[in-house]
Amino acid sequence: MKTLDARIRFTGERRQVTALFYDIVGSTELLLRSEPEKFFRSVSALHQSAEAIIKKHGGFLHQRLGDGGCCFFGYPEQSEDAAESAVRAALELLRLAAGAKGKARTPFRLRIGVATGLVVFSTEGDEIVGTAPVLAARLQAEAEPNSVLVADNTVQLTRQKFEYSLLREARLKGFDEPIALWRPRERDPAASEPVPPQEPDRPIRGREQELAALASAWNSALANKGSLIAIVGEAGIGKSRLVGEFARNLQGSANEAVVFQCGRRMESQPLHPFVSFLERLVGDASVLKEGNAHAVKQALQASGRQVDDAAVETILAFTADLSPAPSRNLRVSDLSGRAFRRKVIEAAADMLTCKAPGIPTLLIFEDVHWADDMTLELIDRLGALAAGLPILVVQTSRIRRSLAVATEIELSGLTATAVRDLVASIWREHPPPGLSDFVLDQCDGMPLYAEELTNFLRERQPLGTSLTAWKGLLREGGVSSLNDLLSARLAATGSARRAAQFASVIGREFSISLLAYLLEGVSRQKLDTDIDRLLSQGIIERSSVTHGSFQFRHVLAQEAAYGSLLKSDRRRIHRRIADRLIGETKPSLPAAIAAWQCAEAGLHDAAARFALAAAEACVLRSAMREANVSLELCEREVDSLSRRHPDRTELALSLFELRGVVAAALEGEGSQSARRVYARAMQFLKKQPPALRMKHFPVYWGWWFTAPNILTQQSRARIVVGDMQAVEDRETRLQSYHCGWATSFHAGEHAFCLDCVAKGLDLYEADSAVRNRAFFGGHDAKVCGLGESALSYLLLNETGASEDAIRACLEWGTATDHAGSMVHALYYAMVLARCQSRYADVHALGEQMLSLAERHGLAASQARANMYCGWAELMTSPAGRGAARFEAGLLLQQQLGTDDNFSMHSDMHAQVLQRRGRPAEALAIVQNAISVGRSSGQWFWLAELYRLSAKLRRDVNDAPSSIRRDLTKAVQIAEGQKAAWLAERAKRSLAGLQGNGSR
């Protein structure tokens, strides 16, 4: 085995290499028929000769395997023509075997396999891991004696250098899909060389000022004063050409440039451009879906990115496949979803900027008008970070975005001088007089239009040089727009046009494997020829985003190819793609794209299912706006289904469930939009049989949760509890009781509350709770039930039961190790201590709650904790300490719109104002709380509000009759609710008033 040069050191490097495996056919039989010494000399001589050939072609003999060898090209030294060198070496090895027939040697026959792919080098450099060597070994085993088999990926890189014939497709061990077996041979020197591809990107014309602006921004970035540049202009105006020219100008200098491509119909795929970048980096999308942190960290390190473990874990929590089962239930809006979203954005930004302190970085986001919301947030964050780093962030877009940190470059049409230069560069000789002005008049300065029109006229070489002659050519060619010119160029490719048309149905980017599947009956060799033709004509190019794929050079070219198909043909192609997607166990395209393909194919039910899957994935990633895009498509597809379709009802209910979740997250649980969705859903659900109603319990939950007030919510809670009595699923029945106890306490119906808690907790199962607590209220049901019962027991004056319940609530909250549940338990304990005026306990519990809420980004809980801590500080200290903290918490809560305990919080607000010597304002606050409480149905604290009202009336010298009336109402309300603890407090106050005579 050959050792590496001592200067070479590899530390987890990833690189594309070409592997070559050769093997002696029937070596054991040859040994048995030969003298051992002669056989050994012959094998050694073969290995030596093979190593010389491998080395001659720039390769490296990694291992001798007794009767064969494992070789690599492009390793350890990188090589742009590694694949070509490997195939040439393989063909020469065959010639070596064929010539070894002298008496001094045992005659050998060889089998050889060649494959290209990404590999990872071990830290010591003596181990190489990747699919390329495995595939090369499998191909070698499939080869006939004295022959070479070459893999698809190697053929793609070398098909202009060798002639290939497709032998067959074979299923090889370890590979899911059939592998094409290609046999190479040297090209006939007498045969004409293939036409070299035209260079579609000529030096840019007329953009000197814009290029200078980009260069200036780059120079500032080199001085750690980076920025965000937004390049805006209509389709075809040259945005990508400008950025591409600028990036080429930087080649040769030390920098890293990364391109992120936003795509049409990918608006519902959160962070799609960044996730695609990660997939390229790790080389295998399954690494991200399976959450393989070790592989991701290894790939990041190999690319020079040192990222902490927390950032990797955050990104994998976002990219990993998650179960969508509970995603249709309503979350509580404590902003934990938004906090997770922010963490993901920060982690992504960290991965993209961590190299920048040492390496100037250019980050290019193309076609941002198709970006999802999270990608837009990422761009904005990168723009903010760039200010102190050697980073330039460039985005191209057809539409203007309001960006505080961005510098905008708006592209307009080319000047007359620039158009003349462009026409002259294409025409090569002197163009006919007046032609440049004619092109300018037709294209109105649009570079792509000018280029296509000039190419069109040049290819036809008009005999006349007059305006009439040129217009005649356009009429004859049916050209009146840029789309017509692109269609004409497509038509000029002959039979390759069909491949472009089929590819356009896939999308702007397409893989050869899917295109070959669509072009059933077309040989691979013919398809490769067509692809070469489309490349040479500048219609397509190799994808800058996905290795091994192709893309239309411009989206307008794709649209022209797509538009050239008859609608019926287009639908048939979409149907063929859709059938393949529906039959896949492992999806090859994102669910959002699959939904669009099925919709265009007229498969409305499948389209709706894929759209729901895409939306569910977004909801689980807290990407609600992105989810909305898929839900709108789903709604259109469900509406297109026949009312007799067997799946229409199920799909409609699933759509309602997700619609409600998204509306509540985007606009608030109390928003008209969320209420409207759940109201419609319940109207529809009530018409369904009981089994279906039970299956879609999340609709019940959302309908209950989004009720406009406690009165309505309590009425709905009783319906939910009643309708779910016959349900066999324990968790569903438990959550129906959850609705019951949560509302009944606020309504002052303590007996019903405690009954629901007792029946619900009898059904509680810890395993089910783990699965459901994040979606039914955002907390554990047992924690909630124990907390509510502790409060109800207190108001019923059963203080021992209350203390037992709150102790169990806190213990179970801690045991769950779930942030939402722990915060919920602390809140109940804090409210209980607040009812009993245990100020020190309120403050201690509030500080615990605040620490936990800050750690997990629970903004609503932060607001509550600061309110209670501020109140406790103020009630126990002079000079108004704590008032500012209370008011800051109250303001945040009002901004968030998450006050579900308005009565008690108003009571606290009034006490703060009273303490600060503002009794009239305090009384106004209490009177408003009484009015709101009576009308909304939040009655549990009404007795205390009336009691506080009476106290404040005394402070402002109100009439004794008004004070007595308030205290009498307090007693009546408390007794009506059987709230003995509240009744005793009110009676003591009333007795004190009577004991003071008129006062």
Side-chain angles (χ1 to χ4, degrees):
M1 174 175 172
K2 185 175 179 179
T3 59
L4 291 172
D5 189 298
R7 295 169 300 172
I8 305 295
R9 292 290 183 271
F10 299 99
T11 56
E13 184 181 353
R14 295 171 70 255
R15 191 190 301 171
Q16 179 170 289
V17 303
T18 298
L20 182 153
F21 266 70
Y22 68 87
D23 181 69
I24 300 171
V25 179
S27 57
T28 303
E29 292 81 356
L30 287 171
L31 174 60
L32 293 174
R33 294 199 303 266
S34 306
E35 295 178 5
E37 293 85 355
K38 180 181 178 182
F39 180 82
F40 174 76
R41 287 195 300 272
S42 298
V43 169
S44 297
L46 176 67
H47 281 310
Q48 290 169 5
S49 300
E51 184 170 0
I53 291 171
I54 299 301
K55 186 175 181 180
K56 168 186 163 185
H57 289 281
F60 166 63
L61 180 57
H62 180 60
Q63 277 184 313
R64 290 181 183 176
L65 305 172
D67 54 358
C70 166
C71 314
F72 289 100
F73 294 78
Y75 165 84
E77 299 294 336
Q78 287 189 330
S79 171
E80 292 183 0
D81 57 355
E84 178 187 347
S85 299
V87 178
R88 292 202 186 283
L91 294 172
E92 188 167 342
L93 281 172
L94 290 186
R95 291 195 292 273
L96 168 71
K101 294 180 180 177
K103 291 182 180 180
R105 289 187 185 178
T106 303
F108 293 128
R109 294 183 299 167
L110 296 180
R111 290 194 299 251
I112 304 174
V114 181
T116 303
L118 289 170
V119 298
V120 176
F121 308 142
S122 68
T123 303
E124 295 77 17
D126 60 354
E127 186 177 350
I128 301 175
V129 178
T131 57
V134 176
L135 180 54
R138 299 283 188 268
L139 291 171
Q140 170 265 122
E142 289 288 324
E144 295 293 327
N146 277 355
S147 71
V148 181
L149 289 182
V150 179
D152 253 339
N153 42 20
T154 311
V155 172
Q156 292 294 328
L157 297 170
T158 61
R159 62 176 181 268
Q160 292 183 0
K161 302 295 183 179
F162 304 94
E163 298 287 351
Y164 284 101
S165 56
L166 179 62
L167 299 184
R168 67 183 190 283
E169 288 190 340
R171 289 196 172 273
L172 305 183
K173 182 180 178 182
F175 293 86
D176 294 335
E177 298 296 325
I179 302 297
L181 307 181
W182 296 89
R183 178 171 291 169
R185 65 175 184 275
E186 298 281 4
R187 281 190 181 275
D188 183 356
S192 59
E193 286 291 319
V195 178
Q198 297 178 4
E199 176 53 60
D201 291 325
R202 298 179 182 81
I204 199 166
R205 308 285 170 168
R207 299 298 188 202
E208 292 78 15
Q209 186 176 347
E210 290 84 356
L211 281 170
L214 289 170
S216 175
W218 180 252
N219 289 333
S220 295
L222 295 179
N224 289 331
K225 296 178 181 177
S227 59
L228 169 59
I229 305 289
I231 300 175
V232 182
E234 61 183 311
I237 203 69
K239 302 181 293 296
S240 297
R241 288 286 294 277
L242 173 66
V243 176
E245 182 83 359
F246 170 65
R248 280 192 293 276
N249 291 344
L250 298 182
Q251 288 177 355
S253 62
N255 67 82
E256 179 178 61
V258 186
V259 178
F260 303 87
Q261 181 66 57
C262 305
R264 180 180 289 180
R265 288 177 283 276
M266 297 303 287
E267 301 98 321
S268 60
Q269 297 292 298
L271 277 186
H272 168 70
F274 173 75
V275 173
S276 294
F277 158 76
L278 281 184
E279 288 175 352
R280 297 197 302 274
L281 208 62
V282 302
D284 184 358
S286 65
V287 169
L288 301 176
K289 292 179 180 177
E290 294 167 4
N292 188 334
H294 175 73
V296 172
K297 282 186 279 190
Q298 190 177 41
L300 287 168
Q301 289 168 4
S303 70
R305 291 173 169 80
Q306 297 298 325
V307 182
D308 62 37
D309 291 350
V312 173
E313 288 168 6
T314 296
I315 291 298
L316 288 178
F318 180 80
T319 61
D321 278 338
L322 304 169
S323 169
S327 66
R328 300 170 186 180
N329 302 320
L330 188 66
R331 291 177 187 253
V332 60
S333 64
D334 60 3
L335 299 197
S336 57
R338 292 186 209 173
F340 172 65
R341 187 180 175 108
R342 284 196 300 271
K343 281 181 66 177
V344 172
I345 296 296
E346 287 297 330
D350 187 25
M351 289 182 181
L352 296 179
T353 59
C354 62
K355 290 179 72 173
I359 301 176
T361 303
L362 174 64
L363 303 175
I364 301 169
F365 289 82
E366 290 273 24
D367 295 327
V368 170
H369 46 274
W370 287 322
D372 62 276
D373 272 23
M374 287 191 76
T375 294
L376 296 179
E377 289 180 38
L378 175 59
I379 294 171
D380 294 346
R381 181 60 183 147
L382 290 169
L385 291 173
L389 292 168
I391 292 178
L392 181 60
V393 185
V394 180
Q395 67 168 52
T396 68
S397 179
R398 295 181 188 177
I399 58 176
R400 180 176 283 104
R401 290 179 61 221
S402 177
L403 293 168
V405 297
T407 300
E408 185 178 285
I409 297 177
E410 184 174 5
L411 295 188
S412 54
L414 296 178
T415 64
T417 301
V419 172
R420 290 190 191 100
D421 288 347
L422 177 61
V423 172
S425 71
I426 295 172
W427 210 267
R428 294 179 187 165
E429 301 113 17
H430 293 295
L435 180 69
S436 296
D437 291 333
F438 173 73
V439 170
L440 177 63
D441 183 59
Q442 294 291 316
C443 73
D444 197 27
M446 182 182 286
L448 182 60
Y449 198 167
E451 183 179 317
E452 292 296 331
L453 180 57
T454 306
N455 276 318
F456 177 85
L457 294 171
R458 183 176 178 274
E459 288 164 4
R460 284 152 183 78
Q461 289 293 322
L463 297 175
T465 57
S466 66
L467 186 67
T468 303
W470 298 327
K471 285 185 175 180
L473 279 175
L474 295 183
R475 279 196 304 274
E476 291 169 14
V479 172
S480 60
S481 66
L482 174 58
N483 185 74
D484 295 335
L485 284 167
L486 293 169
S487 297
R489 174 183 282 219
L490 189 62
T493 63
S495 61
R497 179 189 188 209
R498 184 165 179 257
Q501 289 172 316
F502 274 71
S504 73
V505 180
I506 299 172
R508 184 177 180 186
E509 184 177 298
F510 58 93
S511 67
I512 290 294
S513 61
L514 183 52
L515 183 57
Y517 164 79
L518 294 178
L519 290 166
E520 193 176 22
V522 175
S523 71
R524 184 57 184 268
Q525 192 168 7
K526 172 67 168 64
L527 177 56
D528 288 341
T529 302
D530 289 343
I531 290 294
D532 283 340
R533 179 72 170 159
L534 296 171
L535 285 167
S536 69
Q537 291 298 308
I539 292 169
I540 65 171
E541 60 191 3
R542 296 187 187 280
S543 171
S544 60
V545 175
T546 307
H547 178 72
S549 290
F550 296 86
Q551 65 184 25
F552 284 87
R553 184 183 162 218
H554 200 286
V555 69
L556 295 177
Q558 182 217 344
E559 290 172 356
Y562 190 76
S564 67
L565 288 164
L566 293 175
K567 286 185 178 180
S568 57
D569 292 337
R570 201 184 299 163
R571 173 162 286 202
R572 278 195 290 271
I573 300 170
H574 279 298
R575 178 62 182 264
R576 185 156 169 74
I577 296 173
D579 287 342
R580 174 166 167 158
L581 293 170
I582 292 168
E584 287 177 341
T585 53
K586 206 172 189 181
S588 59
L589 290 176
I593 298 297
W596 172 74
Q597 288 286 356
C598 291
E600 293 300 309
L603 300 174
H604 305 300
D605 52 347
R609 286 191 195 91
F610 278 121
L612 283 172
E616 285 178 334
C618 290
V619 167
L620 287 166
R621 289 164 174 80
S622 302
M624 300 302 181
R625 294 192 188 281
E626 293 84 347
N628 231 4
V629 177
S630 290
L631 291 177
E632 287 170 1
L633 171 61
C634 181
E635 188 166 13
R636 291 195 298 271
E637 295 307 299
V638 170
D639 287 345
S640 298
L641 286 172
S642 163
R643 295 200 173 272
R644 292 191 295 273
H645 191 286
D647 297 332
R648 191 179 194 277
T649 298
E650 177 66 36
L651 290 169
L653 286 169
S654 298
L655 172 63
F656 273 130
E657 289 173 356
L658 280 174
R659 271 276 189 222
V661 173
V662 171
L666 292 178
E667 301 179 44
E669 290 98 347
S671 67
Q672 288 299 319
S673 175
R675 289 172 183 162
R676 196 160 43 243
V677 170
Y678 282 112
R680 286 179 58 204
M682 275 302 292
Q683 287 176 356
F684 187 62
L685 189 59
K686 285 176 182 177
K687 299 174 184 176
Q688 309 308 321
L692 198 58
R693 293 205 303 271
M694 295 167 190
K695 180 180 178 183
H696 289 277
F697 175 72
V699 170
Y700 276 91
W701 174 276
W703 176 65
W704 163 78
F705 199 80
T706 57
N709 52 54
I710 300 295
L711 280 172
T712 307
Q713 197 172 55
Q714 175 66 351
S715 171
R716 291 180 179 180
R718 289 185 176 275
I719 293 172
V720 172
V721 170
D723 281 8
M724 295 297 122
Q725 287 296 308
V727 176
E728 292 183 8
D729 182 65
R730 294 170 61 89
E731 183 67 21
T732 299
R733 287 201 344 262
L734 164 61
Q735 295 302 340
S736 74
Y737 287 123
H738 190 169
C739 298
W741 75 60
T743 310
S744 299
F745 170 78
H746 284 276
E749 297 185 19
H750 300 296
F752 186 64
C753 171
L754 292 171
D755 184 56
C756 286
V757 170
K759 291 176 179 176
L761 295 191
D762 278 346
L763 299 166
Y764 181 86
E765 294 175 345
D767 290 342
S768 297
V770 170
R771 196 169 57 247
N772 288 288
R773 63 193 176 200
F775 299 96
F776 288 110
H779 54 253
D780 185 88
K782 184 174 179 179
V783 166
C784 185
L786 289 168
E788 295 285 6
S789 63
L791 295 175
S792 279
Y793 280 130
L794 173 69
L795 301 190
L796 293 173
N797 210 23
E798 297 180 32
T799 52
S802 176
E803 290 303 317
D804 290 343
I806 202 63
R807 191 181 306 110
C809 173
L810 286 168
E811 288 173 356
W812 190 251
T814 302
T816 65
D817 195 28
H818 175 248
S821 302
M822 289 189 282
V823 164
H824 207 55
L826 288 168
Y827 182 56
Y828 280 120
M830 194 167 62
V831 171
L832 190 70
R834 180 259 172 272
C835 291
Q836 299 168 316
S837 298
R838 292 187 282 118
Y839 304 116
D841 289 344
V842 169
H843 195 273
L845 290 163
E847 292 292 4
Q848 285 184 59
M849 182 175 169
L850 180 63
S851 174
L852 196 59
E854 286 178 340
R855 235 177 19 250
H856 294 277
L858 308 177
S861 296
Q862 291 177 51
R864 289 171 183 153
N866 279 316
M867 286 171 61
Y868 281 78
C869 285
W871 173 81
E873 289 171 10
L874 183 67
M875 299 301 286
T876 56
S877 63
R881 194 172 131 244
R885 185 174 184 183
F886 173 87
E887 288 169 357
L890 178 64
L891 178 62
L892 176 58
Q893 186 176 73
Q894 290 169 345
Q895 291 171 343
L896 298 173
T898 55
D899 191 354
D900 57 356
N901 199 352
F902 181 77
S903 296
M904 183 171 287
H905 297 161
S906 295
D907 180 325
M908 293 164 65
H909 190 189
Q911 289 188 47
V912 169
L913 292 171
Q914 181 193 30
R915 191 85 170 177
R916 299 183 71 187
R918 294 151 63 181
E921 293 177 51
L923 181 58
I925 291 289
V926 171
Q927 293 299 319
N928 178 63
I930 289 172
S931 176
V932 171
R934 292 181 70 91
S935 62
S936 69
Q938 191 173 73
W939 294 335
F940 81 99
W941 203 241
L942 266 180
E944 277 295 291
L945 288 173
Y946 273 111
R947 198 172 75 86
L948 179 57
S949 174
K951 184 177 180 181
L952 291 169
R953 285 185 190 278
R954 291 180 64 180
D955 290 348
V956 297
N957 296 313
D958 211 340
S961 59
S962 297
I963 299 171
R964 186 175 294 105
R965 185 172 60 247
D966 280 352
L967 290 173
T968 301
K969 284 182 179 177
V971 173
Q972 291 171 346
I973 290 169
E975 289 180 339
Q977 296 175 8
K978 296 183 174 58
W981 186 78
L982 295 175
E984 286 182 10
R985 289 163 66 90
K987 287 176 181 178
R988 282 198 299 270
S989 296
L990 184 59
L993 176 67
Q994 292 169 346
N996 290 331
S998 62
R999 296 302 303 252

